Amino acid sequence: MNDSQTDHALALDFGGTNLAAAIVRLADGELIAYRKTATPAAAGAEASLQRMVKIAEESLRESMLPMARLRGAGISFGGMVAPDGSRVVRSMHVKGWEDMPLPQRISDHFHLPAAMGNDGNVAALGEWRYGSGGQPDPFIYIQISTGIGGGVILNRKIFCGQGMGAEIGHLKVQFDPEHSESSEPCACGSRGCIEAVAAGWALEREAKKLAAQADEGTLFQRVMRETNECSAKTLVQAVQLGDTGAKAVLDHAFTSFALTLSDLMVLLDPQEIVLGGSVAVNAWDLLEPILTEKLPGFLPANWGQRTAIRSSRLKGTETLLGAAQLVA
Ligand SMILES: [Zn+2]
């Protein structure tokens, strides 16, 4: 299987918003012939699969690699995956994926061995192997983008319990959310999850509240007018200019996120935690100081600096790189 001739992998990323494909050189994570396209979500699973096959074929042609150089096809799926990786359970965004034996379909089409994992777990594997050299253990990767996802690497492998574990976005930060400002339900159907407080969609909700309240002439209003946007990004830009209302929103979200990190640190004593996704990367200059300030108070006394915390180095490619690692 680890024949040195087969030194590349076909990597496929089935997201709710985008589909991406590339050839990955396994030794160093070089991405070759990268392709990305919108997921035809409304058209369902079969249409998404056909569009993915099309961009993957384009990638293979552009790379000009003989098929004999490919070790396999690694698949990241944005949704629930059976614990053995053989089937999709379901997607929250696209209908028709229920119980689909996706690795078998890809394997039959490309005549390659195929393996699949959930996107958060796969991204953790990619960041661990290519961002951190495959060394830190335990290792945690958390992505703060539209939602909050992530994964845990334990004993050099993806750890997900019986299959549902490491759903980091749904750790609770509010005991009594009915009486707080974040009483809106989470995407998972529960309440009080960190995702419902600090994910891109939750920050957008708070930005819209701020837009409804903010006095004309605030920096937040100015950014909103100039960018014609009211989102997590608007909040971050307004804070970077000095807006105090937007700062209070982000301080609360990132302090809550520090609480989640402290829970994970106490549970797993990780050697390294990496934070990725558009919110964490774009707001790193705001997030990092809050973590540095708040974590010591949330952790047991004398816990010390046991865990390195950094932002992702892989610029959004961690999911495809992790998919390739599934067949490495
Ligand atoms: Zn949740």
Side-chain angles (χ1 to χ4, degrees):
M1 179 110 167
N2 285 352
D3 189 334
S4 60
Q5 289 284 297
T6 58
D7 50 2
H8 291 70
L10 173 63
L12 309 176
D13 176 9
F14 286 85
T17 310
N18 290 302
L19 304 172
I23 312 301
V24 175
R25 188 164 67 200
L26 291 166
D28 60 359
E30 171 84 11
L31 280 188
I32 301 161
Y34 173 79
R35 285 280 190 288
K36 183 169 150 182
T37 184
T39 305
E46 202 60 47
S48 298
L49 177 54
Q50 293 315 318
R51 192 170 291 184
M52 178 63 97
V53 165
K54 183 169 172 286
I55 63 169
E57 283 174 343
E58 287 171 9
S59 255
L60 285 165
R61 266 199 305 279
E62 189 193 315
S63 75
M64 297 199 296
L65 270 182
M67 290 300 282
R69 295 280 296 278
L70 292 176
R71 197 170 296 171
I75 305 164
S76 166
F77 188 80
M80 280 176 66
V81 167
D84 68 356
S86 65
R87 285 170 181 273
V88 172
V89 175
R90 67 171 167 273
S91 157
M92 299 275 201
H93 308 282
V94 184
K95 286 199 165 54
W97 281 116
E98 293 76 11
D99 213 31
M100 171 99 72
L102 184 54
Q104 192 61 53
R105 295 282 302 271
I106 294 294
S107 182
D108 290 348
H109 186 90
F110 291 101
H111 306 289
L112 289 170
M116 176 169 68
N118 155 275
D119 57 352
N121 292 331
V122 168
L125 187 63
E127 189 72 48
W128 176 70
R129 170 64 182 81
Y130 293 111
S132 292
Q135 289 307 316
D137 200 338
F139 174 88
I140 300 174
Y141 172 75
I142 308 175
Q143 192 171 50
I144 317 179
S145 50
T146 308
I148 294 183
V152 172
I153 305 294
L154 187 63
N155 299 326
R156 307 182 64 79
K157 290 192 172 66
I158 291 171
F159 173 80
C160 55
Q162 303 174 73
M164 294 284 285
E167 285 289 336
I168 292 166
H170 307 291
L171 291 171
K172 298 292 179 279
V173 288
Q174 289 172 337
F175 167 68
D176 192 9
E178 297 292 336
H179 296 98
S180 80
E181 77 290 4
S182 298
S183 58
E184 287 86 348
C186 181
C188 72
S190 181
R191 286 169 193 270
C193 303
I194 183 60
E195 173 162 317
V197 177
W201 66 261
L203 293 175
E204 184 170 325
R205 176 197 68 213
E206 295 305 310
K208 284 178 175 151
K209 282 186 199 166
L210 198 63
Q213 294 163 6
D215 301 326
E216 286 297 322
T218 63
L219 290 162
F220 178 77
Q221 292 279 4
R222 202 177 87 195
V223 173
M224 210 169 61
R225 258 198 323 274
E226 283 171 5
T227 59
N228 201 21
E229 200 177 318
C230 181
S231 65
K233 201 170 150 195
T234 322
L235 283 174
V236 173
Q237 286 175 332
V239 176
Q240 283 162 344
L241 289 172
D243 186 277
T244 50
K247 185 173 187 303
V249 172
L250 282 190
D251 278 354
H252 173 70
F254 291 164
T255 300
S256 302
F257 186 72
L259 194 59
T260 298
L261 281 194
S262 73
D263 286 345
L264 290 167
M265 289 160 82
V266 169
L267 182 67
L268 292 169
D269 192 14
Q271 203 172 352
E272 186 172 55
I273 297 177
V274 174
L275 306 176
S278 55
V279 174
V281 171
N282 294 334
W284 184 247
D285 59 332
L286 309 171
L287 177 57
E288 190 188 27
I290 291 177
L291 298 180
T292 305
E293 183 197 334
K294 301 293 180 185
L295 276 171
F298 291 154
L299 289 163
N302 305 317
W303 187 263
Q305 301 275 345
R306 304 179 54 77
T307 302
I309 300 176
R310 65 169 175 86
S311 64
S312 171
R313 297 184 178 124
L314 298 180
K315 302 186 174 74
T317 62
E318 54 271 29
T319 312
L320 276 176
L321 291 175
Q325 271 299 299
L326 290 175
V327 291

